Amino acid sequence: MSSVNPRLVLRIELQRLLTLRGLYTSEDVVRVTGMARSQVERVLNGNGRVPRHLLDEILQRIDAVQPERRPVVDAWRRLEAARAETEAAAPEPPEAADPAGLHRLREDAAGYTLKPSPLTATSKEEFLAVMREFHIWAGEPSYREIALKARKSVGASTLCEALDPKRPPRLPTLKVVTAFVYGCGGGEEDLTTWTTAWRQVRLARTADPATTARPRYI
């Protein structure tokens, strides 16, 4: 006997709630919530990953109370758990898959210093902004690729939530930062720099500007 599809359960629970509000189509949801059609359809159609912040936005804009939200959110959590389990079971790419080092992270050309420096961050908002810049500088690897390279010490969904600009800013744990930097191809020097920057923000301490110059890039 096959298990129930968690994606189907989420769609059923969400549609049940929308029907109680008299919302039968995606057009109805767009009209009532004022959200973009692409956002609404991404949640309703259930194709690909369903972002929690979009689901919460719909629930909030249709004035769903906590008892109504609970079955929908529980279904979303089961879907995320199933997705994480599938990713964890996926075989890691063999070490010899890139013998020439074609995808190894390379530094900038001589005369160009484009690598974002986390040492410029003095708040969690700035720290997260530099993390997003570093992600771009590293070639924007997928969160799953980062998690695999970091030997799954942190899940892809955790990385995604940590860097989601639409979520309330929250300083990631040092474990998440370490996995992120290593997964983006950073070396020991990068890990030391990011660890120092994380401690600086976490401890709310900054270097004395009269004695220490902190460049925007390193």
Side-chain angles (χ1 to χ4, degrees), residues 23-188:
L23 307 175
Y24 304 100
T25 65
S26 58
E27 287 77 9
D28 292 337
V29 179
V30 169
R31 173 177 51 80
V32 171
T33 63
M35 297 172 62
R37 180 182 300 276
S38 60
Q39 294 178 321
V40 170
E41 291 184 345
R42 185 173 180 183
V43 175
L44 298 187
N45 293 339
N47 296 324
R49 183 172 182 270
V50 179
R52 175 64 185 273
H53 71 277
L54 292 182
L55 179 63
D56 286 343
E57 189 72 17
I58 290 178
L59 296 177
Q60 178 180 346
R61 297 197 183 193
I62 65 172
D63 297 323
V65 296
Q66 189 60 34
E68 295 174 321
R69 292 179 180 224
R70 188 173 297 112
V72 177
V73 174
D74 287 346
W76 178 87
R77 287 173 176 161
R78 287 193 293 271
L79 175 59
E80 283 294 291
R83 187 176 65 83
E85 184 177 345
T86 300
E87 288 185 351
E92 294 188 31
E95 294 294 333
D98 186 28
L102 296 178
H103 301 289
R104 185 180 68 250
L105 184 63
R106 289 172 170 80
E107 296 295 327
D108 297 311
Y112 292 84
T113 53
L114 303 178
K115 182 192 293 186
S117 171
L119 295 175
T120 62
T122 59
S123 66
K124 58 186 176 183
E125 291 83 2
E126 292 180 357
F127 190 89
L128 289 169
V130 181
M131 285 185 72
R132 297 185 190 104
E133 291 178 1
F134 188 82
H135 183 227
I136 295 173
W137 182 83
E140 296 184 281
S142 70
Y143 295 123
R144 184 172 184 272
E145 291 173 330
I146 295 174
L148 286 174
K149 189 164 185 179
R151 301 187 183 279
K152 301 178 183 176
S153 58
V154 172
S157 60
T158 299
L159 293 166
C160 181
E161 291 178 2
L163 295 177
D164 188 345
K166 295 184 179 180
R167 297 177 66 87
R170 182 177 181 181
L171 185 68
T173 64
L174 184 56
K175 178 180 179 180
V176 171
V177 174
T178 300
F180 166 77
V181 175
Y182 183 79
C184 282
E188 285 300 319

